Amino acid sequence: MTKQRQQEGTAMLPSNLHVPDDCRAVSEVLSRVGDKWTILVVGELGNGPRRFNEIRRALGSISQRMLTLTLRGLERDGLVTRTVFPTVPPRVDYELTKLGLSLLEPVSGIGLWARQNRAAIQEARVRFDAAAEGARP
């Protein structure tokens, strides 16, 4: 076995570790939390309970259907609660659950990382595309 140097504060895992159930779990979770609208909705609900139209106005360009689908998916996964108040017209509030609140920090971190590194990624794409274009016969 090759010796690996452990960085301080980093858990060492074997480089050949592949557990299919773990891969499926990660894939399932990333498919829920990795899309644009989920990140934005979770971020907005991190400010406290919101009504449907408050979320929609805050996000701007999301369609009613996409917001409905996103909220239903988050509710199904236990990340959001939907509370209906018996008023006329009915009032519905959406709020992050304890599990949803635990997602807020990593989602915020991904959003921050994306904003901070967008220009570098775009520059890398331009360099890659130019090199690929130059390599074509």
Side-chain angles (χ1 to χ4, degrees), residues 21-97:
D21 285 342
D22 288 349
C23 291
R24 276 190 287 280
V26 170
S27 179
E28 289 173 12
V29 170
L30 285 177
S31 72
R32 161 55 48 218
V33 302
D35 71 272
K36 166 185 173 180
W37 295 119
T38 294
I39 289 174
L40 295 173
V41 168
V42 168
E44 179 60 24
L45 290 175
N47 297 320
R50 297 286 187 264
R51 296 173 77 172
F52 185 92
N53 283 325
E54 289 175 317
I55 300 168
R56 191 165 176 209
R57 276 192 301 273
L59 300 184
S61 61
I62 191 169
S63 70
Q64 182 171 337
R65 175 171 165 68
M66 183 53 67
L67 181 54
T68 298
L69 291 173
T70 300
L71 287 167
R72 281 186 186 156
L74 290 168
E75 185 180 11
R76 179 176 183 249
D77 290 344
L79 301 169
V80 166
T81 57
R82 179 180 184 268
T83 305
V84 180
F85 296 93
T87 59
V88 178
R91 176 181 163 184
V92 180
D93 281 357
Y94 296 90
E95 184 173 11
L96 291 175
T97 63

